[in-house]
């Protein structure tokens, strides 16, 4: 299931990603499929959210459960 950071990434909201991070939520968590927020934003072509998540320190080098990296999107 999605956490707040995954939901914000899926909607492409860089502002919400920043607010969630500032609220001390876990921004590095994974979905059941092993995706982090950068992977979700990348898969949905939400470039502003990807940039914000990277600036916040979320990894772009974490593969999901199938070995897919965010750069593959």
């Amino acid at each position: 299931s999605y956490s707040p950071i995954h939901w914000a990434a899926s909607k492409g909201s860089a502002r919400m990603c920043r607010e969630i991070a500032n609220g001390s939520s876990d921004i590095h968590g994974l979905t059941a499929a092993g995706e982090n927020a950068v992977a979700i934003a990348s898969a949905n072509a939400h470039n502003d959210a990807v940039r914000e998540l990277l600036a916040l320190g979320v990894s772009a080098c974490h593969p999901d459960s199938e070995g897919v990296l965010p750069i593959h999107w």
Side-chain angles (χ1 to χ4, degrees):
S1 69
Y2 276 13
S3 70
I5 196 70
H6 298 128
W7 179 86
S10 73
K11 300 302 179 190
S13 178
R15 181 184 60 82
M16 285 302 299
C17 289
R18 185 172 44 257
E19 288 181 15
I20 290 166
N22 289 337
S24 299
S25 289
D26 179 16
I27 62 170
H28 302 284
L30 304 175
T31 66
E35 299 169 309
N36 68 11
V38 171
I40 293 168
S42 295
N44 290 289
H46 295 312
N47 297 331
D48 290 340
V50 169
R51 280 190 287 275
E52 185 63 34
L53 290 161
L54 292 173
L56 291 167
V58 180
S59 177
C61 300
H62 181 80
D64 66 16
S65 60
E66 295 180 2
V68 177
L69 294 167
I71 196 165
H72 292 132
W73 295 105

